[in-house]
Amino acid sequence: MHRALYAAGWGYVALCGLVVATHGGSGVALPGTSHVTPAAPFGGAAGEWFAQVKPFCNAVEVEVRQQQTPPPGGVEGAGYSAACYALAGKIERARTVIDALGAGDRSQAASIVFNIGHPVADAGDDQSAGPIMRLVVSYQPDNYMALYHAGMSEYILGQMDFARTHLRKFIELYHEPDGYRNNAVEVLGRLGAKP
């Protein structure tokens, strides 16, 4: 019985050796070499790309996923890429992606970031929403909803100077007598600032 197992074991080793030899590689990376294959460009629309990578838009996985599955080219691809970085809390990386675009395209990319980040703000995640909305405002200074959410987030997080600036600008732009405006006026009053 032991001889049969011994023979089967050596037969398996010989088979593995044959497989390795016929595939032309040692299977072991030599120092200074890499087995990384270049990422293939995504073949679909930017929105489809984002739908696939959104579960990986977190601080741990975002960089690797965007290297493995780069976004499509163009403004939409950059906008969704920046939105993914922003959701992951990597605001400066998102800014770098947007800044790589031409000056005339940056606002459109920021709109995509706003549309992706707005539900975060509406859900009340002020710690995440504030930096995303400040990013949007830096490219779209008249985006009144981004100004509102940035200001309210900053107020809750104790960033009073930013809150005053953003909420004053919101009040200048937004004139509807509704909850958004009333909240902004109330917060500015608490801050000792006139609307």
PDB file of all heavy atoms in Angstrom, residues 25-67:
ATOM      1  N   GLY A  25       7.140  29.197 -17.638  1.00  0.00           N
ATOM      2  CA  GLY A  25       7.455  30.125 -16.551  1.00  0.00           C
ATOM      3  C   GLY A  25       7.709  29.376 -15.274  1.00  0.00           C
ATOM      4  O   GLY A  25       7.249  28.265 -15.082  1.00  0.00           O
ATOM      5  N   SER A  26       8.475  29.997 -14.407  1.00  0.00           N
ATOM      6  CA  SER A  26       8.785  29.349 -13.138  1.00  0.00           C
ATOM      7  C   SER A  26       7.672  29.543 -12.123  1.00  0.00           C
ATOM      8  O   SER A  26       7.610  28.835 -11.145  1.00  0.00           O
ATOM      9  CB  SER A  26      10.095  29.897 -12.583  1.00  0.00           C
ATOM     10  OG  SER A  26       9.928  31.254 -12.222  1.00  0.00           O
ATOM     11  N   GLY A  27       6.810  30.540 -12.352  1.00  0.00           N
ATOM     12  CA  GLY A  27       5.746  30.807 -11.411  1.00  0.00           C
ATOM     13  C   GLY A  27       6.207  31.586 -10.190  1.00  0.00           C
ATOM     14  O   GLY A  27       5.442  31.902  -9.320  1.00  0.00           O
ATOM     15  N   VAL A  28       7.500  31.890 -10.138  1.00  0.00           N
ATOM     16  CA  VAL A  28       8.054  32.628  -9.014  1.00  0.00           C
ATOM     17  C   VAL A  28       8.568  33.965  -9.531  1.00  0.00           C
ATOM     18  O   VAL A  28       9.307  34.020 -10.509  1.00  0.00           O
ATOM     19  CB  VAL A  28       9.205  31.829  -8.355  1.00  0.00           C
ATOM     20  CG1 VAL A  28       9.832  32.610  -7.225  1.00  0.00           C
ATOM     21  CG2 VAL A  28       8.705  30.485  -7.871  1.00  0.00           C
ATOM     22  N   ALA A  29       8.174  35.044  -8.868  1.00  0.00           N
ATOM     23  CA  ALA A  29       8.646  36.363  -9.281  1.00  0.00           C
ATOM     24  C   ALA A  29      10.073  36.559  -8.809  1.00  0.00           C
ATOM     25  O   ALA A  29      10.401  36.318  -7.657  1.00  0.00           O
ATOM     26  CB  ALA A  29       7.750  37.446  -8.695  1.00  0.00           C
ATOM     27  N   LEU A  30      10.929  36.953  -9.717  1.00  0.00           N
ATOM     28  CA  LEU A  30      12.303  37.257  -9.365  1.00  0.00           C
ATOM     29  C   LEU A  30      12.357  38.642  -8.744  1.00  0.00           C
ATOM     30  O   LEU A  30      11.519  39.494  -9.034  1.00  0.00           O
ATOM     31  CB  LEU A  30      13.173  37.198 -10.622  1.00  0.00           C
ATOM     32  CG  LEU A  30      13.201  35.856 -11.347  1.00  0.00           C
ATOM     33  CD1 LEU A  30      13.983  35.975 -12.637  1.00  0.00           C
ATOM     34  CD2 LEU A  30      13.810  34.800 -10.458  1.00  0.00           C
ATOM     35  N   PRO A  31      13.344  38.888  -7.891  1.00  0.00           N
ATOM     36  CA  PRO A  31      13.455  40.227  -7.297  1.00  0.00           C
ATOM     37  C   PRO A  31      13.535  41.292  -8.387  1.00  0.00           C
ATOM     38  O   PRO A  31      14.262  41.142  -9.370  1.00  0.00           O
ATOM     39  CB  PRO A  31      14.756  40.155  -6.491  1.00  0.00           C
ATOM     40  CG  PRO A  31      14.961  38.698  -6.218  1.00  0.00           C
ATOM     41  CD  PRO A  31      14.366  37.981  -7.395  1.00  0.00           C
ATOM     42  N   GLY A  32      12.776  42.354  -8.208  1.00  0.00           N
ATOM     43  CA  GLY A  32      12.783  43.451  -9.172  1.00  0.00           C
ATOM     44  C   GLY A  32      11.846  43.240 -10.351  1.00  0.00           C
ATOM     45  O   GLY A  32      11.789  44.061 -11.248  1.00  0.00           O
ATOM     46  N   THR A  33      11.128  42.112 -10.380  1.00  0.00           N
ATOM     47  CA  THR A  33      10.175  41.879 -11.464  1.00  0.00           C
ATOM     48  C   THR A  33       8.774  41.848 -10.893  1.00  0.00           C
ATOM     49  O   THR A  33       8.584  41.741  -9.694  1.00  0.00           O
ATOM     50  CB  THR A  33      10.455  40.548 -12.191  1.00  0.00           C
ATOM     51  OG1 THR A  33      10.262  39.479 -11.273  1.00  0.00           O
ATOM     52  CG2 THR A  33      11.854  40.519 -12.770  1.00  0.00           C
ATOM     53  N   SER A  34       7.806  41.921 -11.759  1.00  0.00           N
ATOM     54  CA  SER A  34       6.413  41.941 -11.318  1.00  0.00           C
ATOM     55  C   SER A  34       5.566  41.129 -12.270  1.00  0.00           C
ATOM     56  O   SER A  34       5.846  41.053 -13.458  1.00  0.00           O
ATOM     57  CB  SER A  34       5.929  43.388 -11.273  1.00  0.00           C
ATOM     58  OG  SER A  34       4.558  43.425 -10.992  1.00  0.00           O
ATOM     59  N   HIS A  35       4.514  40.534 -11.731  1.00  0.00           N
ATOM     60  CA  HIS A  35       3.565  39.795 -12.559  1.00  0.00           C
ATOM     61  C   HIS A  35       2.325  40.619 -12.854  1.00  0.00           C
ATOM     62  O   HIS A  35       1.326  40.088 -13.297  1.00  0.00           O
ATOM     63  CB  HIS A  35       3.148  38.490 -11.857  1.00  0.00           C
ATOM     64  CG  HIS A  35       4.195  37.413 -11.942  1.00  0.00           C
ATOM     65  ND1 HIS A  35       4.477  36.762 -13.090  1.00  0.00           N
ATOM     66  CD2 HIS A  35       5.022  36.911 -10.990  1.00  0.00           C
ATOM     67  CE1 HIS A  35       5.430  35.875 -12.867  1.00  0.00           C
ATOM     68  NE2 HIS A  35       5.774  35.958 -11.594  1.00  0.00           N
ATOM     69  N   VAL A  36       2.366  41.917 -12.572  1.00  0.00           N
ATOM     70  CA  VAL A  36       1.200  42.769 -12.782  1.00  0.00           C
ATOM     71  C   VAL A  36       0.986  42.963 -14.274  1.00  0.00           C
ATOM     72  O   VAL A  36       1.896  43.336 -15.003  1.00  0.00           O
ATOM     73  CB  VAL A  36       1.391  44.140 -12.092  1.00  0.00           C
ATOM     74  CG1 VAL A  36       0.218  45.044 -12.375  1.00  0.00           C
ATOM     75  CG2 VAL A  36       1.593  43.951 -10.612  1.00  0.00           C
ATOM     76  N   THR A  37      -0.220  42.707 -14.706  1.00  0.00           N
ATOM     77  CA  THR A  37      -0.556  42.932 -16.105  1.00  0.00           C
ATOM     78  C   THR A  37      -1.219  44.290 -16.233  1.00  0.00           C
ATOM     79  O   THR A  37      -1.935  44.722 -15.332  1.00  0.00           O
ATOM     80  CB  THR A  37      -1.511  41.838 -16.632  1.00  0.00           C
ATOM     81  OG1 THR A  37      -2.669  41.821 -15.794  1.00  0.00           O
ATOM     82  CG2 THR A  37      -0.860  40.479 -16.613  1.00  0.00           C
ATOM     83  N   PRO A  38      -0.984  44.983 -17.328  1.00  0.00           N
ATOM     84  CA  PRO A  38      -1.609  46.294 -17.485  1.00  0.00           C
ATOM     85  C   PRO A  38      -3.136  46.177 -17.509  1.00  0.00           C
ATOM     86  O   PRO A  38      -3.689  45.219 -18.040  1.00  0.00           O
ATOM     87  CB  PRO A  38      -1.086  46.802 -18.828  1.00  0.00           C
ATOM     88  CG  PRO A  38      -0.233  45.730 -19.399  1.00  0.00           C
ATOM     89  CD  PRO A  38      -0.168  44.593 -18.433  1.00  0.00           C
ATOM     90  N   ALA A  39      -3.790  47.175 -16.926  1.00  0.00           N
ATOM     91  CA  ALA A  39      -5.249  47.163 -16.867  1.00  0.00           C
ATOM     92  C   ALA A  39      -5.827  47.484 -18.235  1.00  0.00           C
ATOM     93  O   ALA A  39      -5.355  48.373 -18.929  1.00  0.00           O
ATOM     94  CB  ALA A  39      -5.735  48.182 -15.849  1.00  0.00           C
ATOM     95  N   ALA A  40      -6.840  46.738 -18.584  1.00  0.00           N
ATOM     96  CA  ALA A  40      -7.537  47.002 -19.840  1.00  0.00           C
ATOM     97  C   ALA A  40      -8.507  48.154 -19.636  1.00  0.00           C
ATOM     98  O   ALA A  40      -9.158  48.247 -18.597  1.00  0.00           O
ATOM     99  CB  ALA A  40      -8.290  45.750 -20.282  1.00  0.00           C
ATOM    100  N   PRO A  41      -8.610  49.046 -20.598  1.00  0.00           N
ATOM    101  CA  PRO A  41      -9.571  50.143 -20.449  1.00  0.00           C
ATOM    102  C   PRO A  41     -11.002  49.608 -20.406  1.00  0.00           C
ATOM    103  O   PRO A  41     -11.318  48.613 -21.043  1.00  0.00           O
ATOM    104  CB  PRO A  41      -9.337  51.006 -21.684  1.00  0.00           C
ATOM    105  CG  PRO A  41      -8.533  50.181 -22.622  1.00  0.00           C
ATOM    106  CD  PRO A  41      -7.894  49.074 -21.843  1.00  0.00           C
ATOM    107  N   PHE A  42     -11.834  50.296 -19.626  1.00  0.00           N
ATOM    108  CA  PHE A  42     -13.232  49.906 -19.501  1.00  0.00           C
ATOM    109  C   PHE A  42     -13.933  50.202 -20.817  1.00  0.00           C
ATOM    110  O   PHE A  42     -13.788  51.286 -21.371  1.00  0.00           O
ATOM    111  CB  PHE A  42     -13.896  50.667 -18.347  1.00  0.00           C
ATOM    112  CG  PHE A  42     -15.289  50.208 -18.066  1.00  0.00           C
ATOM    113  CD1 PHE A  42     -15.517  49.054 -17.360  1.00  0.00           C
ATOM    114  CD2 PHE A  42     -16.371  50.931 -18.528  1.00  0.00           C
ATOM    115  CE1 PHE A  42     -16.804  48.611 -17.091  1.00  0.00           C
ATOM    116  CE2 PHE A  42     -17.667  50.510 -18.275  1.00  0.00           C
ATOM    117  CZ  PHE A  42     -17.882  49.346 -17.556  1.00  0.00           C
ATOM    118  N   GLY A  43     -14.716  49.252 -21.303  1.00  0.00           N
ATOM    119  CA  GLY A  43     -15.341  49.389 -22.610  1.00  0.00           C
ATOM    120  C   GLY A  43     -16.710  50.041 -22.617  1.00  0.00           C
ATOM    121  O   GLY A  43     -17.229  50.371 -23.665  1.00  0.00           O
ATOM    122  N   GLY A  44     -17.325  50.249 -21.461  1.00  0.00           N
ATOM    123  CA  GLY A  44     -18.677  50.795 -21.413  1.00  0.00           C
ATOM    124  C   GLY A  44     -18.709  52.275 -21.090  1.00  0.00           C
ATOM    125  O   GLY A  44     -17.701  52.972 -21.116  1.00  0.00           O
ATOM    126  N   ALA A  45     -19.896  52.744 -20.757  1.00  0.00           N
ATOM    127  CA  ALA A  45     -20.094  54.150 -20.405  1.00  0.00           C
ATOM    128  C   ALA A  45     -19.584  54.409 -18.990  1.00  0.00           C
ATOM    129  O   ALA A  45     -19.457  53.493 -18.175  1.00  0.00           O
ATOM    130  CB  ALA A  45     -21.577  54.504 -20.501  1.00  0.00           C
ATOM    131  N   ALA A  46     -19.317  55.671 -18.690  1.00  0.00           N
ATOM    132  CA  ALA A  46     -18.776  56.046 -17.386  1.00  0.00           C
ATOM    133  C   ALA A  46     -19.725  55.668 -16.246  1.00  0.00           C
ATOM    134  O   ALA A  46     -19.276  55.220 -15.185  1.00  0.00           O
ATOM    135  CB  ALA A  46     -18.473  57.541 -17.365  1.00  0.00           C
ATOM    136  N   GLY A  47     -21.031  55.825 -16.446  1.00  0.00           N
ATOM    137  CA  GLY A  47     -21.995  55.449 -15.418  1.00  0.00           C
ATOM    138  C   GLY A  47     -21.969  53.955 -15.131  1.00  0.00           C
ATOM    139  O   GLY A  47     -22.127  53.531 -13.986  1.00  0.00           O
ATOM    140  N   GLU A  48     -21.772  53.158 -16.169  1.00  0.00           N
ATOM    141  CA  GLU A  48     -21.665  51.709 -15.985  1.00  0.00           C
ATOM    142  C   GLU A  48     -20.403  51.366 -15.205  1.00  0.00           C
ATOM    143  O   GLU A  48     -20.417  50.488 -14.343  1.00  0.00           O
ATOM    144  CB  GLU A  48     -21.642  51.001 -17.342  1.00  0.00           C
ATOM    145  CG  GLU A  48     -22.936  51.113 -18.121  1.00  0.00           C
ATOM    146  CD  GLU A  48     -22.797  50.596 -19.555  1.00  0.00           C
ATOM    147  OE1 GLU A  48     -21.695  50.143 -19.946  1.00  0.00           O
ATOM    148  OE2 GLU A  48     -23.794  50.663 -20.289  1.00  0.00           O
ATOM    149  N   TRP A  49     -19.308  52.055 -15.536  1.00  0.00           N
ATOM    150  CA  TRP A  49     -18.059  51.844 -14.805  1.00  0.00           C
ATOM    151  C   TRP A  49     -18.276  52.134 -13.320  1.00  0.00           C
ATOM    152  O   TRP A  49     -17.886  51.341 -12.464  1.00  0.00           O
ATOM    153  CB  TRP A  49     -16.952  52.741 -15.371  1.00  0.00           C
ATOM    154  CG  TRP A  49     -15.697  52.692 -14.548  1.00  0.00           C
ATOM    155  CD1 TRP A  49     -14.689  51.773 -14.640  1.00  0.00           C
ATOM    156  CD2 TRP A  49     -15.327  53.579 -13.491  1.00  0.00           C
ATOM    157  NE1 TRP A  49     -13.725  52.035 -13.700  1.00  0.00           N
ATOM    158  CE2 TRP A  49     -14.094  53.151 -12.985  1.00  0.00           C
ATOM    159  CE3 TRP A  49     -15.920  54.703 -12.928  1.00  0.00           C
ATOM    160  CZ2 TRP A  49     -13.438  53.797 -11.946  1.00  0.00           C
ATOM    161  CZ3 TRP A  49     -15.275  55.358 -11.895  1.00  0.00           C
ATOM    162  CH2 TRP A  49     -14.044  54.906 -11.418  1.00  0.00           C
ATOM    163  N   PHE A  50     -18.915  53.268 -13.031  1.00  0.00           N
ATOM    164  CA  PHE A  50     -19.127  53.648 -11.633  1.00  0.00           C
ATOM    165  C   PHE A  50     -19.998  52.623 -10.909  1.00  0.00           C
ATOM    166  O   PHE A  50     -19.729  52.293  -9.750  1.00  0.00           O
ATOM    167  CB  PHE A  50     -19.744  55.041 -11.526  1.00  0.00           C
ATOM    168  CG  PHE A  50     -19.886  55.501 -10.113  1.00  0.00           C
ATOM    169  CD1 PHE A  50     -18.779  55.875  -9.378  1.00  0.00           C
ATOM    170  CD2 PHE A  50     -21.129  55.530  -9.504  1.00  0.00           C
ATOM    171  CE1 PHE A  50     -18.898  56.282  -8.058  1.00  0.00           C
ATOM    172  CE2 PHE A  50     -21.262  55.933  -8.185  1.00  0.00           C
ATOM    173  CZ  PHE A  50     -20.143  56.309  -7.464  1.00  0.00           C
ATOM    174  N   ALA A  51     -21.023  52.116 -11.577  1.00  0.00           N
ATOM    175  CA  ALA A  51     -21.882  51.108 -10.955  1.00  0.00           C
ATOM    176  C   ALA A  51     -21.067  49.875 -10.552  1.00  0.00           C
ATOM    177  O   ALA A  51     -21.328  49.266  -9.514  1.00  0.00           O
ATOM    178  CB  ALA A  51     -23.020  50.724 -11.897  1.00  0.00           C
ATOM    179  N   GLN A  52     -20.064  49.535 -11.354  1.00  0.00           N
ATOM    180  CA  GLN A  52     -19.235  48.367 -11.045  1.00  0.00           C
ATOM    181  C   GLN A  52     -18.247  48.642  -9.904  1.00  0.00           C
ATOM    182  O   GLN A  52     -17.972  47.768  -9.100  1.00  0.00           O
ATOM    183  CB  GLN A  52     -18.452  47.917 -12.272  1.00  0.00           C
ATOM    184  CG  GLN A  52     -19.286  47.196 -13.285  1.00  0.00           C
ATOM    185  CD  GLN A  52     -18.443  46.640 -14.423  1.00  0.00           C
ATOM    186  OE1 GLN A  52     -17.216  46.743 -14.431  1.00  0.00           O
ATOM    187  NE2 GLN A  52     -19.100  46.055 -15.407  1.00  0.00           N
ATOM    188  N   VAL A  53     -17.702  49.856  -9.849  1.00  0.00           N
ATOM    189  CA  VAL A  53     -16.668  50.122  -8.850  1.00  0.00           C
ATOM    190  C   VAL A  53     -17.206  50.725  -7.552  1.00  0.00           C
ATOM    191  O   VAL A  53     -16.488  50.763  -6.552  1.00  0.00           O
ATOM    192  CB  VAL A  53     -15.537  51.029  -9.392  1.00  0.00           C
ATOM    193  CG1 VAL A  53     -14.856  50.398 -10.587  1.00  0.00           C
ATOM    194  CG2 VAL A  53     -16.027  52.413  -9.701  1.00  0.00           C
ATOM    195  N   LYS A  54     -18.448  51.178  -7.524  1.00  0.00           N
ATOM    196  CA  LYS A  54     -18.982  51.859  -6.343  1.00  0.00           C
ATOM    197  C   LYS A  54     -18.805  51.063  -5.044  1.00  0.00           C
ATOM    198  O   LYS A  54     -18.456  51.646  -4.013  1.00  0.00           O
ATOM    199  CB  LYS A  54     -20.450  52.227  -6.540  1.00  0.00           C
ATOM    200  CG  LYS A  54     -20.992  53.073  -5.398  1.00  0.00           C
ATOM    201  CD  LYS A  54     -22.413  53.510  -5.640  1.00  0.00           C
ATOM    202  CE  LYS A  54     -22.908  54.348  -4.465  1.00  0.00           C
ATOM    203  NZ  LYS A  54     -24.315  54.677  -4.606  1.00  0.00           N
ATOM    204  N   PRO A  55     -18.992  49.744  -5.041  1.00  0.00           N
ATOM    205  CA  PRO A  55     -18.771  49.019  -3.782  1.00  0.00           C
ATOM    206  C   PRO A  55     -17.329  49.131  -3.266  1.00  0.00           C
ATOM    207  O   PRO A  55     -17.069  48.865  -2.102  1.00  0.00           O
ATOM    208  CB  PRO A  55     -19.097  47.563  -4.138  1.00  0.00           C
ATOM    209  CG  PRO A  55     -19.961  47.647  -5.344  1.00  0.00           C
ATOM    210  CD  PRO A  55     -19.520  48.875  -6.092  1.00  0.00           C
ATOM    211  N   PHE A  56     -16.410  49.527  -4.125  1.00  0.00           N
ATOM    212  CA  PHE A  56     -14.997  49.631  -3.756  1.00  0.00           C
ATOM    213  C   PHE A  56     -14.567  51.073  -3.505  1.00  0.00           C
ATOM    214  O   PHE A  56     -13.381  51.346  -3.342  1.00  0.00           O
ATOM    215  CB  PHE A  56     -14.130  48.999  -4.847  1.00  0.00           C
ATOM    216  CG  PHE A  56     -14.531  47.581  -5.146  1.00  0.00           C
ATOM    217  CD1 PHE A  56     -15.362  47.298  -6.222  1.00  0.00           C
ATOM    218  CD2 PHE A  56     -14.109  46.543  -4.336  1.00  0.00           C
ATOM    219  CE1 PHE A  56     -15.753  45.994  -6.486  1.00  0.00           C
ATOM    220  CE2 PHE A  56     -14.491  45.242  -4.593  1.00  0.00           C
ATOM    221  CZ  PHE A  56     -15.316  44.966  -5.662  1.00  0.00           C
ATOM    222  N   CYS A  57     -15.515  51.998  -3.478  1.00  0.00           N
ATOM    223  CA  CYS A  57     -15.218  53.416  -3.245  1.00  0.00           C
ATOM    224  C   CYS A  57     -15.113  53.667  -1.749  1.00  0.00           C
ATOM    225  O   CYS A  57     -15.917  54.387  -1.157  1.00  0.00           O
ATOM    226  CB  CYS A  57     -16.282  54.312  -3.892  1.00  0.00           C
ATOM    227  SG  CYS A  57     -16.319  54.215  -5.687  1.00  0.00           S
ATOM    228  N   ASN A  58     -14.138  53.028  -1.144  1.00  0.00           N
ATOM    229  CA  ASN A  58     -13.859  53.202   0.275  1.00  0.00           C
ATOM    230  C   ASN A  58     -12.362  53.393   0.438  1.00  0.00           C
ATOM    231  O   ASN A  58     -11.581  53.128  -0.479  1.00  0.00           O
ATOM    232  CB  ASN A  58     -14.380  52.008   1.086  1.00  0.00           C
ATOM    233  CG  ASN A  58     -13.745  50.710   0.660  1.00  0.00           C
ATOM    234  OD1 ASN A  58     -12.551  50.492   0.846  1.00  0.00           O
ATOM    235  ND2 ASN A  58     -14.542  49.824   0.070  1.00  0.00           N
ATOM    236  N   ALA A  59     -11.953  53.870   1.583  1.00  0.00           N
ATOM    237  CA  ALA A  59     -10.562  54.246   1.804  1.00  0.00           C
ATOM    238  C   ALA A  59      -9.582  53.097   1.613  1.00  0.00           C
ATOM    239  O   ALA A  59      -8.438  53.314   1.244  1.00  0.00           O
ATOM    240  CB  ALA A  59     -10.404  54.844   3.194  1.00  0.00           C
ATOM    241  N   VAL A  60     -10.023  51.870   1.827  1.00  0.00           N
ATOM    242  CA  VAL A  60      -9.129  50.723   1.733  1.00  0.00           C
ATOM    243  C   VAL A  60      -8.929  50.265   0.288  1.00  0.00           C
ATOM    244  O   VAL A  60      -7.818  49.938  -0.122  1.00  0.00           O
ATOM    245  CB  VAL A  60      -9.670  49.556   2.594  1.00  0.00           C
ATOM    246  CG1 VAL A  60      -8.831  48.304   2.428  1.00  0.00           C
ATOM    247  CG2 VAL A  60      -9.744  49.968   4.051  1.00  0.00           C
ATOM    248  N   GLU A  61      -9.994  50.263  -0.507  1.00  0.00           N
ATOM    249  CA  GLU A  61      -9.938  49.612  -1.818  1.00  0.00           C
ATOM    250  C   GLU A  61      -9.912  50.545  -3.031  1.00  0.00           C
ATOM    251  O   GLU A  61      -9.674  50.098  -4.145  1.00  0.00           O
ATOM    252  CB  GLU A  61     -11.150  48.681  -1.966  1.00  0.00           C
ATOM    253  CG  GLU A  61     -11.179  47.587  -0.924  1.00  0.00           C
ATOM    254  CD  GLU A  61     -12.471  46.803  -0.937  1.00  0.00           C
ATOM    255  OE1 GLU A  61     -13.527  47.399  -0.657  1.00  0.00           O
ATOM    256  OE2 GLU A  61     -12.411  45.599  -1.232  1.00  0.00           O
ATOM    257  N   VAL A  62     -10.162  51.831  -2.852  1.00  0.00           N
ATOM    258  CA  VAL A  62     -10.376  52.719  -3.991  1.00  0.00           C
ATOM    259  C   VAL A  62      -9.165  52.808  -4.927  1.00  0.00           C
ATOM    260  O   VAL A  62      -9.326  52.754  -6.145  1.00  0.00           O
ATOM    261  CB  VAL A  62     -10.840  54.126  -3.532  1.00  0.00           C
ATOM    262  CG1 VAL A  62      -9.765  54.848  -2.749  1.00  0.00           C
ATOM    263  CG2 VAL A  62     -11.294  54.957  -4.717  1.00  0.00           C
ATOM    264  N   GLU A  63      -7.983  52.935  -4.394  1.00  0.00           N
ATOM    265  CA  GLU A  63      -6.793  53.086  -5.245  1.00  0.00           C
ATOM    266  C   GLU A  63      -6.555  51.836  -6.093  1.00  0.00           C
ATOM    267  O   GLU A  63      -6.338  51.927  -7.300  1.00  0.00           O
ATOM    268  CB  GLU A  63      -5.553  53.390  -4.399  1.00  0.00           C
ATOM    269  CG  GLU A  63      -5.547  54.752  -3.771  1.00  0.00           C
ATOM    270  CD  GLU A  63      -5.313  55.903  -4.750  1.00  0.00           C
ATOM    271  OE1 GLU A  63      -4.927  55.661  -5.905  1.00  0.00           O
ATOM    272  OE2 GLU A  63      -5.537  57.043  -4.344  1.00  0.00           O
ATOM    273  N   VAL A  64      -6.590  50.691  -5.440  1.00  0.00           N
ATOM    274  CA  VAL A  64      -6.327  49.442  -6.152  1.00  0.00           C
ATOM    275  C   VAL A  64      -7.385  49.204  -7.227  1.00  0.00           C
ATOM    276  O   VAL A  64      -7.077  48.841  -8.362  1.00  0.00           O
ATOM    277  CB  VAL A  64      -6.253  48.255  -5.168  1.00  0.00           C
ATOM    278  CG1 VAL A  64      -6.189  46.923  -5.914  1.00  0.00           C
ATOM    279  CG2 VAL A  64      -5.064  48.414  -4.243  1.00  0.00           C
ATOM    280  N   ARG A  65      -8.649  49.431  -6.894  1.00  0.00           N
ATOM    281  CA  ARG A  65      -9.727  49.186  -7.855  1.00  0.00           C
ATOM    282  C   ARG A  65      -9.600  50.107  -9.058  1.00  0.00           C
ATOM    283  O   ARG A  65      -9.784  49.683 -10.193  1.00  0.00           O
ATOM    284  CB  ARG A  65     -11.085  49.367  -7.180  1.00  0.00           C
ATOM    285  CG  ARG A  65     -12.270  49.134  -8.099  1.00  0.00           C
ATOM    286  CD  ARG A  65     -12.228  47.797  -8.807  1.00  0.00           C
ATOM    287  NE  ARG A  65     -12.279  46.710  -7.873  1.00  0.00           N
ATOM    288  CZ  ARG A  65     -12.570  45.464  -8.185  1.00  0.00           C
ATOM    289  NH1 ARG A  65     -12.851  45.137  -9.420  1.00  0.00           N
ATOM    290  NH2 ARG A  65     -12.584  44.536  -7.265  1.00  0.00           N
ATOM    291  N   GLN A  66      -9.263  51.366  -8.833  1.00  0.00           N
ATOM    292  CA  GLN A  66      -9.154  52.282  -9.968  1.00  0.00           C
ATOM    293  C   GLN A  66      -7.910  51.994 -10.809  1.00  0.00           C
ATOM    294  O   GLN A  66      -7.876  52.315 -11.982  1.00  0.00           O
ATOM    295  CB  GLN A  66      -9.198  53.739  -9.498  1.00  0.00           C
ATOM    296  CG  GLN A  66     -10.594  54.104  -9.019  1.00  0.00           C
ATOM    297  CD  GLN A  66     -10.943  55.551  -9.241  1.00  0.00           C
ATOM    298  OE1 GLN A  66     -10.573  56.159 -10.238  1.00  0.00           O
ATOM    299  NE2 GLN A  66     -11.689  56.112  -8.315  1.00  0.00           N
ATOM    300  N   GLN A  67      -6.907  51.365 -10.215  1.00  0.00           N
ATOM    301  CA  GLN A  67      -5.756  50.930 -11.010  1.00  0.00           C
ATOM    302  C   GLN A  67      -6.105  49.690 -11.818  1.00  0.00           C
ATOM    303  O   GLN A  67      -5.709  49.562 -12.979  1.00  0.00           O
ATOM    304  CB  GLN A  67      -4.558  50.642 -10.103  1.00  0.00           C
ATOM    305  CG  GLN A  67      -3.937  51.889  -9.524  1.00  0.00           C
ATOM    306  CD  GLN A  67      -2.889  51.571  -8.485  1.00  0.00           C
ATOM    307  OE1 GLN A  67      -2.540  50.408  -8.244  1.00  0.00           O
ATOM    308  NE2 GLN A  67      -2.381  52.609  -7.832  1.00  0.00           N
TER     309      GLN A  67
END
